[in-house]
Every structure is written in structure tokens, then in C-alpha cells.
Amino acid sequence: MQYNARITGLIAFMLMLFAFSSVLAQEGDDACQFDSIKTAFQQYVQTVDKAQVEKIQGLLNEKAYGPVDVDGVLGRDTRLAFQRVCQAYVVKSSENLANDLVALLENSEQPQASPEPDASPAPQTSFEPEANPDPQTSPETEVNPESEASPVQAIKPAVKAKAKLKPAQPVVHEKGPRIFYRWSASEEEEKSADDEPAEKSAVEQATPEVVIPDDVLEQLNKIQAIAYPNEVLFKEALQILFADSELTWQPYLGLILEQAYQPVSEKPERIQLDGGGCGCSRDFSSTVYGFYPTWLASGEVQTVDFSLFDRIAFYALSLNDEGSVQDLQQWSDASNVAAFIKLAHKHRVNVDVTISATGWRAWTDKVMDNAVRKVASTVRHKFAAANENALLSMLEGSSSLQVGGVTLYFDGYSTSEDNRHNIVSFITKLSEMLRDPDSDVELKLNVMLDVDMGSIEKQAVFKDLEAVLIDEEDSRAPVDYVFVFLQEPTSDSKKVLRRKIEDEFRGAHRKIVLRKMLPVISPLGHQNDPRKPFAQFTDDLVYFQDNFAGVGLWPLPLDSDQDAATIKQLIIELYSSTNDSNRLGDMIEKYAPGLCQFACPNRWLFRLGFDLLIGLLLLYGVLAIWIYRLRILYKRYFLYFMAYLLVIVAVFLISLVCDPFWQERADAVVASVFLVGLVVLISRYVSKATRPPLP
């Protein structure tokens, strides 16, 4: 009896001790619960800008509370890192919890080891996924209390998905024009339960498998057809994609980036393009500029509607740290560049080459001079036209082909205020080298800037390039167009872009810069616009036309794209010129739309045919003066001669309406024909009036 009483008392004492310790623990841990951290920083984020958040994220990584992405977004990963700060210093709850944690972070020394939350997060991988540190609130993990393994080993994903990668050492990815981001579903299929698993190492057995939940994958698949030229734009797209969703996707950001990361092959495919009977470039009221990325080439024939573009840029070569042009195998006869340029010229579309100056911040004078020479050599390089059309190429004046200009891409522009003088010096020197008064080809020089719309409010952006954008002496400034990749949402970023130009320039200078600006957006994925399909894309086109020089499309749409027909319809509807000078051409376009689509790309054949027909007629007339039998032929086969003349007139009229060369001279040609006809009639009348009567 006494023994049972002692046991009962001991148990009661232990229960009281446990309850007391729980109360003490609760006092210090309430503030460090993830929900408390989340609530505190929801208020704190309203008081800081993106640059301050990036600085804080850098400190979290530096002091071993990360890793987190330094992206200026106070997302889940950043809050989990602050939870570790909170638990490391046993911070108590207060009204200024977020400010207290930031102050602790800024004033603390780097810890010996990264503190662990109540339930350790999943091990950090090269893709940065983290599990919820609180096992009681995490819907994605479960902990086995009986396991002898560490808490990290006990965490297992509750949801399996096809996209999965195993933890690995951090991977440093290459950046630059050879890289783009495009989400695509994993091709890996789940193995059935009957399949015999492969033998795993001890490390693999102890390491949990990191997966993306099915609901997050389903949301990601909405943008799987869209390509983004850099990581920043892809992340912005993810923010918009999940903005109205309650899905937890931030812990999988690293894994998403890894799967979306698309390096360009070292051995590029041949460029195989076809116009598909599209006709020549249209007379648009604003510029439509297309980018053809090197990765778009598939080695198979692709159809591009050249009639939608004024210029097309091949994207992209790069300058290395020594100022030499890299990846020239992409810009060679082996890649079929000559056929690409010739086909574009056939449809009256100029071709530029894009060159990314990735190391421009650290350029010395020697490197800059070398870069100027290499870029000028690349732009002036002439490709040999195809031999099978050597005669026609000679007649067309295109036995050798070269691009019409260069677009220089400067990455990280808005984060490099101190080095922008390098850009001005480089463009000035290159412009002088490309200027050739003896050449018939006027080479264009464009600039593409990597601008973060969220960080340009407190700095000069375009004003630093005023010397190359505006020429005070009223001659042509070195730069023709300025391209800026617009971040999503474009409804906001396009207005920020215009407002920034208006703030930095005044009067006529403001107008000049606005008319040089070409925002670049993607033509894909607009079927899923939240309001209705293509609503935002339509709004953007209208805004660009009214406020800027036009629009840039990266990448340019192929006819095989799902939305190609709608994109074409919108561009033609919104950007068609309202010029009424070519009324005959408009009439023919209305009643015989396929005529000029065929005649314009084949205008050299019509010119050659017209010259041959006129030449034969003149030859007959000259010979008929001395050869009587030829005059007899004219009387005997008069109807055939009339048909021959009608063919000449038809070819002439088609060329006059559809050939841009003759369109520009239509008024002079019509006036000349009228005068010649009038002179002939007057001559015949005078000849009859002065002829003496026959005997």
C-alpha cells in the first residue's frame, strides 16, 4: 500500500514538473511559432522597400540562418529563416517582433551553427526547398516519434509528385544570353509498387526525397509554354501566377528554378525558316520587332509570318571578359545564317544580331577597344548566298549578305549605377566605327537594358545614356532603339517605365526618348489572362503604340504556336497604318489579298520579267524598221501582239502596286506614262494634220 502511494506521488510530481516546464517553454516559444513570425512580417513588409529586404536576406545568408533567395520578396523561406533567429535568441512576443528580429540580425555575430526550429526543416538542397519547421502545423511532412534516426531523417513528404530531385550540393548556374527559363513538366514517371527498387547508398537511404505537390504542379503547368529570358522575369511570373492562390509554393522555388533552367546546346541546330506565303512586311504605324533566340532553331522547317515584323534580331552572341565575341558557331554558314538573312530580306525585313556584353561593368580601355573591333567585325561579316540561286542572287544584288544592325544587351543595368559610363564610351566608339559614308547599308545600333522596375524609383536610369540617345546637333544619335524586358504585371511596369522617362527628360528630349523605347514582352500564354483571353496583351499593344515606339516580341511567334493566329490578328488590327496614299493597293488587298503576298516576296522575278518583256518588244521594234517581214507579222498576228502588251501592262501594274520600290515612285511613274501617252497622241495628230493628200 505504501509502495503504491509512493508510485502515485512520484507520477503526480512528474506531471506537475512537466506542466510547469511547458508553461515556461510556452512563454519563450509563442513568439517563435511560424504563424507569429508570419503575422509580424505581414505588417513589417509595408514599411520597407525591395532593396532593404534584399539587404536583410543577404545578412540571413551571411550569418547562416539561410539559405534564402536574395530576391527582395519577404516570402516563406525568409520568414523561416527569421524563425531560426527568433529561436536562437529566445525572443519573447511583442508588438514590434519583426523590428526586434531585424535588429538582432543586424547586431548579432555569426552563430557557430545554424539554429534549429522545433522540428528541423528538410535538408537544404541546390533547389532550396524547406519543410515547415513546426511539425504540428505542417501539412506536407510527418515525423515518426519512434524512429531512432535524426528528425531530419524522419521527415517524409506526404504528397508524391512527378517533379522530384534529390538533395545535392549547391549548383551555380551559368547566366547570360545562352540561358532562359521555361517551366516544363517532368518526363519522369512514378515507378509502380511491383518494380524492384534500385539499390541505394547509405546517404541516399538517409536523405528524404524532395517533391513538388501535385496542386503546385498543376498551377505551374499554366505557364509551361512561356519562355523567360532570365531568372528575375521568371520569378516575377511565379509571383503573379500564385498571387491569388493559397498554395504554398515558396519552399519549392529552388526546385522550380532547377527544372525551368534551360541552357542552350553547345552545338546549335540549323536555322530552317519558311515564310509560308506570308507576303512582305506590312506598313505599320508603330514598330514591331521580333527576337529569334538561338534555342528556337530545331533543325526542322519553321514557319514565321514575316509580314508582322519591321526587324528581326538573332538572339544572341556574347562578349567575354576579354572583349571577344563568343558562340560564333551559331553565327556561321554551318547554322544556315545566310538563308535566314536572305529569306528575311526577301520579305523586306531587316535582320540584326544581338550581342550580350556580360562583363561591361569591369571593362578597361583595352578590353573596350577590343570589344568594339570584334563587334564591328561580326556586324560587317558577309555570308555567301546559296549557290543554287547564284544568278538570281546576282540580279538581286545579294550575292553576299550581312545584317542591318546590332542590338547590344547590357545585363544588370539597373544595379550598376557606377559603371554606366562604360556603356556610353562603348556605344560612341562602335557607332563611329560602323558609320561608313561609302556604304549603301545604314547599320542600326540598338540597346537592350536589364532594368528591374522595382528598384528604379530612387536612381537615374536613362538619363545616364542621354549622350547616346539624343544628339544636340540635330544629327542622328548613335542609338536607334532602346529595348527593356517588361516584368509582370505589365499593367504596372509599363507605366513605371513611362513615368521614369517623363521624370528624367523634358520637352523635346522626352519625346525623342519615348519614341526610341520598345518594351519587350512574350507573345505566349495570353490565353490564360485573368480577365479574358488576350485582354492584357491587347491593352499592352495599345499602350505601347500610344506611348512608345512600338513593341518587341521575345521570342517571335511561330505559326505552329497555339496563339499565333490571334497574335497576328491583334497586331494587324491595332498597328496597321492609316495612310491613304496607296488606295489602289488597299483595293487590291481587299479583293485579291493573295496577289501582293505572292508578288512582293518575288518582286525581283517581276522586275526581271518586265525588263525581258520590254526588251523583246523594243528589239522587235528596232528590227522591224529594216525587216519588212517583221512588220507583216504584226499585221497578221495583231491580237497576239495585243495580248503581249496586256501582259506587260499587268506585270507593270502589279509591280507598281505590290513592289515597294515602285510604290515609292508611283506618282512619278503615273505622271510619266500620262505625259508619254499625251506626247504620242499629239504627235499622231500633228502628223495627220500636216500630211499632204495622197495622189
Side-chain angles (χ1 to χ4, degrees):
M1 194 73 176
Q2 292 178 352
Y3 176 77
N4 291 336
R6 290 177 181 177
I7 293 296
T8 304
L10 181 61
I11 292 174
F13 175 76
M14 292 178 65
L15 290 174
M16 291 175 61
L17 183 62
F18 177 76
F20 179 71
S21 62
S22 298
V23 171
L24 291 178
Q26 188 70 20
E27 285 185 9
D29 288 348
D30 272 347
C32 298
Q33 294 295 321
F34 182 75
D35 289 341
S36 301
I37 300 289
K38 180 179 179 180
T39 301
F41 278 97
Q42 283 176 342
Q43 302 171 0
Y44 175 79
V45 75
Q46 306 297 326
T47 65
V48 293
D49 57 23
K50 187 173 183 179
Q52 290 173 294
V53 176
E54 289 176 349
K55 180 180 178 182
I56 292 170
Q57 290 171 324
L59 287 173
L60 289 169
N61 288 331
E62 179 183 338
K63 298 184 178 182
Y65 294 105
V68 297
D69 276 343
V70 183
D71 55 8
V73 179
L74 246 167
R76 181 181 175 84
D77 287 353
T78 305
R79 291 166 182 165
L80 287 173
F82 270 114
Q83 184 183 31
R84 292 190 275 273
V85 176
C86 182
Q87 292 175 340
Y89 293 96
V90 195
V91 179
K92 294 185 179 180
S93 180
S94 69
E95 294 182 357
N96 298 316
L97 176 61
N99 289 302
D100 294 342
L101 291 175
V102 173
L104 277 173
L105 176 67
E106 293 175 343
N107 299 319
S108 65
E109 299 293 333
Q110 183 169 336
Q112 297 295 324
S114 180
E116 295 182 355
D118 295 340
S120 301
Q124 297 304 305
T125 72
S126 60
F127 324 114
E128 301 175 53
E130 296 184 55
N132 191 316
D134 187 352
Q136 297 179 354
T137 61
S138 173
E140 299 159 4
T141 61
E142 56 181 359
V143 179
N144 182 2
E146 299 179 1
S147 173
E148 295 181 0
S150 67
V152 170
Q153 297 169 357
I155 298 176
K156 296 180 180 179
V159 181
K160 291 277 185 176
K162 290 185 179 181
K164 57 184 180 182
L165 289 172
K166 296 178 180 178
Q169 295 299 320
V171 177
V172 179
H173 282 150
E174 178 187 355
K175 295 183 179 180
R178 291 174 50 80
I179 303 302
F180 67 100
Y181 288 81
R182 181 174 59 194
W183 171 258
S184 58
S186 174
E187 296 180 357
E188 181 180 354
E189 297 291 337
E190 293 289 341
K191 292 183 178 181
S192 64
D194 297 334
D195 292 340
E196 184 178 350
E199 185 177 351
K200 298 181 179 180
S201 65
V203 175
E204 291 177 325
Q205 293 176 7
T207 306
E209 192 174 54
V210 181
V211 299
I212 300 177
D214 287 335
D215 50 0
V216 176
L217 285 174
E218 184 178 354
Q219 188 76 355
L220 286 169
N221 287 339
K222 294 180 180 180
I223 62 170
Q224 66 177 345
I226 308 174
Y228 300 88
N230 55 52
E231 182 179 323
V232 173
L233 293 175
F234 181 65
K235 285 183 178 179
E236 293 287 347
L238 292 178
Q239 294 286 350
I240 300 300
L241 180 66
F242 289 97
D244 298 327
S245 171
E246 297 181 356
L247 296 174
T248 303
W249 63 276
Q250 291 89 345
Y252 311 101
L253 177 60
L255 183 56
I256 295 170
L257 289 175
E258 177 69 17
Q259 192 158 324
Y261 178 82
Q262 305 286 342
V264 177
S265 172
E266 292 291 338
K267 185 178 180 181
E269 298 286 352
R270 283 173 59 84
I271 304 173
Q272 300 281 356
L273 296 180
D274 181 60
C278 62
C280 291
S281 175
R282 295 173 180 267
D283 183 19
F284 285 133
S285 58
S286 297
T287 300
V288 182
Y289 197 100
F291 289 89
Y292 185 84
T294 177
W295 53 263
L296 204 59
S298 63
E300 300 178 355
V301 177
Q302 300 168 318
T303 304
V304 174
D305 192 338
F306 287 92
S307 69
L308 297 180
F309 303 100
D310 297 284
R311 305 183 76 88
I312 291 177
F314 180 84
Y315 183 99
L317 309 180
S318 60
L319 287 170
N320 62 15
D321 295 338
E322 289 76 34
S324 297
V325 180
Q326 300 290 96
D327 312 316
L328 284 175
Q329 69 274 13
Q330 301 174 8
W331 195 242
S332 65
D333 292 325
S335 294
N336 206 28
V337 174
F340 170 38
I341 298 175
K342 184 173 182 178
L343 183 63
H345 288 177
K346 179 179 179 180
H347 293 85
R348 296 190 65 246
V349 177
N350 278 306
V351 176
D352 299 335
V353 57
T354 305
I355 300 180
S356 175
T358 54
W360 63 272
R361 301 168 193 79
W363 275 349
T364 63
D365 291 340
K366 181 179 179 181
V367 172
M368 186 181 300
D369 291 340
N370 184 53
V372 168
R373 290 193 301 270
K374 296 297 185 182
V375 171
S377 175
T378 302
V379 176
R380 287 176 172 167
H381 177 76
K382 295 184 177 181
F383 298 91
N387 292 329
E388 59 269 18
N389 295 318
L391 177 60
L392 185 58
S393 297
M394 182 181 66
L395 293 172
E396 294 176 358
S398 58
S399 56
S400 60
L401 300 163
Q402 71 177 93
V403 296
V406 58
T407 296
L408 301 171
Y409 180 25
F410 299 97
D411 64 336
Y413 176 79
S414 57
T415 59
S416 306
E417 297 181 63
D418 299 333
N419 307 93
R420 293 175 183 171
H421 60 275
N422 283 348
I423 296 178
V424 175
S425 299
F426 179 62
I427 291 175
T428 302
K429 293 180 179 180
L430 180 61
S431 176
E432 293 174 355
M433 184 166 285
L434 292 179
R435 191 174 295 136
D436 185 0
D438 297 329
S439 176
D440 295 334
V441 179
E442 183 183 4
L443 296 173
K444 302 287 186 179
L445 201 162
N446 311 311
V447 172
M448 177 180 286
L449 303 177
D450 185 9
V451 177
D452 183 0
M453 295 300 169
S455 63
I456 65 174
E457 294 291 344
K458 299 180 180 179
Q459 60 170 291
V461 179
F462 305 106
K463 189 71 173 178
D464 292 341
L465 302 181
E466 183 175 10
V468 294
L469 296 179
I470 300 170
D471 196 318
E472 297 291 351
E473 299 179 357
D474 295 331
S475 60
R476 191 170 70 87
V479 172
D480 291 280
Y481 289 123
V482 179
F483 299 96
V484 173
F485 284 116
L486 276 195
Q487 298 167 224
E488 296 185 16
T490 56
S491 57
D492 296 331
S493 57
K494 65 189 178 187
K495 299 169 188 173
V496 173
L497 178 61
R498 178 183 174 104
R499 185 167 62 248
K500 193 61 183 173
I501 296 173
E502 290 183 336
D503 291 343
E504 294 185 8
F505 298 95
R506 295 289 182 271
H509 288 183
R510 177 188 294 164
K511 178 181 178 181
I512 291 172
V513 176
L514 284 172
R515 292 299 175 263
K516 288 179 179 285
M517 192 63 56
L518 278 170
V520 181
I521 59 176
S522 172
L524 305 175
H526 299 286
Q527 187 67 35
N528 299 320
D529 280 355
R531 286 181 291 156
K532 64 178 182 178
F534 297 95
Q536 186 59 55
F537 184 74
T538 303
D539 291 348
D540 290 341
L541 289 182
V542 173
Y543 191 91
F544 297 161
Q545 183 188 44
D546 191 46
N547 296 276
F548 303 118
V551 63
L553 300 177
W554 190 101
L556 58 78
L558 301 175
D559 281 11
S560 56
D561 294 338
Q562 181 180 2
D563 302 331
T566 306
I567 296 294
K568 177 179 178 179
Q569 177 185 350
L570 287 173
I571 291 177
I572 294 175
E573 177 183 342
L574 299 174
Y575 278 36
S576 290
S577 175
T578 57
N579 186 6
D580 295 331
S581 60
N582 189 17
R583 295 182 179 179
L584 181 59
D586 294 339
M587 187 183 301
I588 292 179
E589 178 70 19
K590 180 178 180 180
Y591 295 105
L595 180 60
C596 284
Q597 288 184 11
F598 172 78
C600 183
N602 297 287
R603 57 193 176 277
W604 281 101
L605 291 176
F606 278 83
R607 294 179 191 177
L608 179 61
F610 180 77
D611 292 342
L612 289 175
L613 291 172
I614 289 293
L616 289 175
L617 185 62
L618 291 176
L619 179 63
Y620 170 82
V622 171
L623 294 177
I625 296 175
W626 292 283
I627 303 176
Y628 175 75
R629 291 185 179 181
L630 291 179
R631 296 198 294 272
I632 296 298
L633 287 177
Y634 171 74
K635 295 179 180 179
R636 183 177 298 177
Y637 301 105
F638 175 77
L639 293 179
Y640 291 101
F641 274 88
M642 289 298 100
Y644 186 85
L645 290 175
L646 287 176
V647 171
I648 293 178
V649 171
V651 172
F652 171 74
L653 289 177
I654 292 174
S655 298
L656 192 65
V657 173
C658 301
D659 189 337
F661 175 83
W662 290 114
Q663 284 179 0
E664 297 174 359
R665 298 160 177 81
D667 293 340
V669 170
V670 172
S672 299
V673 170
F674 177 78
L675 288 175
V676 170
L678 185 62
V679 169
V680 170
L681 290 176
I682 293 175
S683 299
R684 289 178 62 88
Y685 175 79
V686 171
S687 176
K688 288 183 178 180
T690 58
R691 182 186 303 170
L694 295 175

